[in-house]
Amino acid sequence: MARIIVVTSGKGGVGKTTTSAAISMGLAKKGHKTVVIDFDVGLRNLDLIMGCERRVVYDIINVINGEATLNQALIKDKNCNLLSILPASQTRNKDALTLEGVEKILEELSKDFKYIVCDSPAGIETGAHLAMYFADDAFVVTNPEVSSVRDSDRMLGLLSSKSRRAERGEEPIKEYLLLSRYSPERVKSGEMLSLDDVQDILSLHLLGVIPESKSVLTSSNAGTPVILDEKSDAGQAYADIVARYLGETRPHRFIDEKSGFFRKLFGGK
Amino acid sequence: MTINSHSFPAVEFKSSTFSVPVLSIASNDLILIQQLLDEKIKLAPEFFKHSPVVVDLGEVNKKQLALDFEDLATVIRKTGLFTIGIRNSNEAQQAQAISLGIPVNTAPTSDVRVENRKPKPITAPADDEFVTNDSTTVTITKPIRSGQRIYSFGDLIVLAQVGAGAEILAEGNIHVYGTLRGRALAGVQGNTEARIFCSDLQAELISIAGNYKISDDIHGAVANTPVQIYLQKNTLVVKPII
Ligand SMILES: Nc1ncnc2c1ncn2[C@@H]1O[C@H](COP(=O)(O)OP(=O)(O)OP(=O)(O)O)[C@@H](O)[C@H]1O
Ligand SMILES: [Mg+2]
């Protein structure tokens, strides 16, 4: 049986797709057969970050509508043959995604793959709901700012009540925090929330902190997941995250929390 | 193949108990009603958003004021509330309600609460999570997240934090042994003796028996100091526990 991971956040632009690309590559590099699915129908960009946009022929909607088989739609990654990508449709409307359709696809993929990574769209509407509904694990990507943290909290509420596991009364989805675009300097200057501030609100199991890094943009422009840039801080952060998820203990890095945003705000009290 | 060949029933009636606010109407001045409702809702917009209400026409009918229920229903709908029933209504109002698809409660009760309490989790729409158990004290051990709502028919004990945008309601007391950032409403069926206890009060709203305070008006709370909140002559008092 495959393990289904949803990469989710609520808020847009926090690094879900960057994370989905990195961790799916990381899992595959560790020898696990992995598939990453783009649930962002209408705004697909996972294929761009994975550098396979020119090889997209069929997409997830074609599969749901029976216009293509899963095997026709899956794209083998150019860097790692254990990794496949199921792209989203650029042209269709979001409503083309259905619960039954998604369930069937996940069931079929489960037979073949060890990990299924679902890149959720922003928001809490249909696409995001379908991306998380069947999940076993949730990677909640959060930026160190109040609105992102709040949206993550909201998403965590949905994960614990609106998922298949919740509805069936099964063991709840395992929730992990990935704090992304972290900048210790900006935390120090009080512009950003510190890891402590975020954990104070979310109290989640921290899988890792991903620093704000130029290498993310460079890698996505090159169409290679940042985890393959082993020299970069963000790449190393993602490698740590994958290792920790697979059970390794690694000390947390890229954190430096002296004076947090809240402490600055409420300092006198 | 017959429908009965399924191993599980596709449709099943289950008995459930819901707690729904009652909107008591004592005037037939629709403009005034709208104004008052708007004011009330402004106090706690998230709480009232899409909230179901049962409309009680007892007062207005007692005064023998003519009230067109259809017009009233429109006013209520505009405020974002959903009328899911009426009671203490006359025949004309009942006919109007039925034609609008709104159920009519003809039982001569003064309290809408259904007495047959089922000690069972109740599945409600949206993200709401209504919980109760036999002892009527509900204990929650996990953080209550933004958008979640917990209801207890008795006391409510939360051994974790209550996130901003979350809402906890109890007919009895509320205890929060974590940071309370969301909304906490104790004594929601009118118990003025109910209290709220919490170890770190940063709430968006607190209420006891319908007496509200929003965060800007909450004074007396010191960060990280356990406080209790109770009613004294219709005023909420926030005081350190010891
Ligand atoms: N660690 C990082 N450092 C610097 N930039 C980053 C980092 N992570 C993501 N970004 C940038 O942030 C932007 C949004 O990232 P991404 O597309 O992964 O977010 P998303 O959550 O998938 O967005 P959407 O909600 O639109 O799907 C991109 O321009 C990306 O390059
Ligand atoms: Mg994305």
Side-chain angles (χ1 to χ4, degrees):
Chain A
M1 262 312 265
R3 195 90 191 153
I4 302 174
I5 304 170
V6 62
V7 178
T8 185
S9 69
K11 192 172 160 68
V14 296
K16 293 180 294 294
T17 302
T18 305
T19 300
S20 300
I23 61 152
S24 56
M25 177 61 80
L27 289 165
K29 280 270 173 197
K30 288 254 183 190
H32 304 291
K33 205 169 172 203
T34 302
V35 56
V36 55
I37 308 177
D38 190 349
F39 274 84
D40 210 344
V41 172
L43 281 172
R44 68 165 220 234
N45 49 28
L46 179 71
D47 48 322
L48 284 171
I49 295 189
M50 304 291 300
C52 66
E53 73 279 8
R54 280 192 228 100
R55 289 190 289 144
V56 174
V57 183
Y58 296 111
D59 57 56
I60 185 168
I61 305 297
N62 293 132
V63 179
I64 286 177
N65 292 345
E67 296 147 4
T69 66
L70 204 43
N71 274 330
Q72 287 174 306
L74 286 175
I75 302 170
K76 268 242 154 50
D77 184 77
K78 58 184 183 214
N79 293 299
C80 181
N81 62 6
L82 287 177
L83 179 60
S84 300
I85 299 123
L86 181 57
S89 168
Q90 187 84 286
T91 50
R92 307 302 180 87
N93 133 342
K94 289 199 256 293
D95 303 329
L97 274 182
T98 63
L99 194 74
E100 297 70 31
V102 171
E103 181 172 25
K104 234 176 112 207
I105 287 178
L106 291 176
E107 237 165 55
E108 216 173 315
L109 291 172
S110 285
K111 292 180 202 145
D112 231 24
F113 292 89
K114 180 83 188 294
Y115 291 103
I116 301 173
V117 177
C118 303
D119 179 18
S120 173
I124 53 173
E125 306 300 319
T126 316
H129 179 245
L130 291 178
M132 66 87 153
Y133 185 76
F134 299 99
D136 301 304
D137 299 312
F139 285 14
V140 179
V141 182
T142 305
N143 289 166
E145 44 159 294
V146 176
S147 62
S148 171
V149 174
R150 174 74 71 93
D151 285 2
S152 294
D153 196 52
R154 177 97 174 88
M155 187 47 77
L156 287 160
L158 296 176
L159 287 167
S160 64
S161 58
K162 293 277 144 237
S163 63
R164 181 167 71 174
R165 280 172 175 272
E167 285 174 8
R168 288 184 175 176
E170 294 170 354
E171 194 185 320
I173 296 178
K174 281 216 180 70
E175 302 155 344
Y176 299 95
L177 173 65
L178 281 75
L179 190 55
S180 187
R181 308 199 68 164
Y182 199 73
S183 158
E185 294 73 43
R186 295 186 61 195
V187 171
K188 210 178 285 175
S189 69
E191 284 170 68
M192 271 186 180
L193 299 178
S194 70
L195 173 60
D196 277 355
D197 294 334
V198 174
Q199 279 296 51
D200 195 34
I201 299 174
L202 294 180
S203 36
L204 269 190
H205 180 80
L206 177 70
L207 208 49
V209 172
I210 305 116
E212 171 79 25
S213 167
K214 286 202 182 72
S215 60
V216 171
L217 191 62
T218 320
S219 293
S220 79
N221 284 340
T224 50
V226 68
I227 198 168
L228 293 178
D229 183 355
E230 288 165 15
K231 288 205 193 70
S232 74
D233 47 0
Q236 292 173 15
Y238 280 118
D240 282 357
I241 284 169
V242 170
R244 287 190 199 107
Y245 175 69
L246 292 175
E248 265 180 62
T249 347
R250 290 195 184 184
H252 284 288
R253 298 194 270 169
F254 316 109
I255 315 162
D256 177 57
E257 7 147 2
K258 293 265 157 55
S259 73
F261 175 81
F262 277 141
R263 240 160 294 163
K264 218 175 166 89
L265 257 185
F266 302 124
K269 287 195 185 168
Chain B
M1 226 220 281
T2 67
I3 289 172
N4 292 328
S5 68
H6 288 290
S7 57
F8 59 90
V11 173
E12 198 180 348
F13 280 104
K14 288 189 174 171
S15 164
S16 272
T17 308
F18 294 85
S19 173
V20 176
V22 174
L23 182 63
S24 174
I25 303 291
S27 159
N28 65 347
D29 182 345
L30 291 174
I31 295 170
L32 178 70
I33 291 173
Q34 173 142 26
Q35 274 174 359
L36 292 176
L37 277 177
D38 284 342
E39 275 170 31
K40 264 263 182 265
I41 288 169
K42 237 194 277 162
L43 229 45
E46 276 303 313
F47 176 63
F48 286 113
K49 195 169 160 194
H50 307 319
S51 172
V53 290
V54 170
V55 175
D56 189 331
L57 300 172
E59 287 300 313
V60 66
N61 288 342
K62 219 188 290 167
K63 293 182 190 161
Q64 302 201 324
L65 298 168
L67 175 71
D68 186 275
F69 178 70
E70 206 166 326
D71 293 343
L72 176 67
T74 311
V75 167
I76 294 173
R77 188 64 208 100
K78 266 194 219 144
T79 65
L81 298 171
F82 285 99
T83 305
I84 61 158
I86 62 168
R87 65 173 184 177
N88 295 324
S89 47
N90 62 34
E91 265 173 35
Q93 292 158 345
Q94 287 171 13
Q96 283 180 311
I98 300 278
S99 74
L100 291 170
I102 295 171
V104 174
N105 180 354
T106 49
T109 50
S110 59
D111 188 350
V112 74
R113 211 165 70 200
V114 187
E115 284 314 320
N116 169 29
R117 289 179 184 173
K118 275 260 159 173
K120 247 204 237 171
I122 299 163
T123 356
D127 326 331
D128 296 8
E129 203 173 300
F130 287 72
V131 188
T132 182
N133 62 16
D134 285 320
S135 68
T136 71
T137 292
V138 174
T139 307
I140 306 280
T141 54
K142 286 200 312 186
I144 301 173
R145 304 294 184 182
S146 177
Q148 286 187 312
R149 190 189 247 192
I150 306 285
Y151 189 98
S152 168
F153 291 114
D155 287 359
L156 175 62
I157 300 172
V158 184
L159 302 173
Q161 66 206 11
V162 178
E167 188 169 77
I168 53 177
L169 305 97
E171 294 183 16
N173 304 301
I174 291 177
H175 306 255
V176 182
Y177 298 97
T179 306
L180 171 58
R181 294 194 179 85
R183 290 149 195 270
L185 298 90
V188 288
Q189 292 294 342
N191 180 3
T192 53
E193 297 298 309
R195 292 183 183 217
I196 299 171
F197 304 89
C198 72
S199 49
D200 188 6
L201 179 66
Q202 299 179 23
E204 294 166 328
L205 177 145
I206 46 175
S207 160
I208 291 171
N211 297 274
Y212 294 90
K213 252 185 187 173
I214 49 175
S215 64
D216 283 354
D217 306 326
I218 302 175
H219 306 293
V222 184
N224 275 313
T225 308
V227 292
Q228 59 169 325
I229 298 140
Y230 56 91
L231 263 187
Q232 202 170 48
K233 297 194 191 100
N234 291 323
T235 311
L236 287 184
V237 181
V238 181
K239 273 230 175 94
I241 289 181
I242 344 161

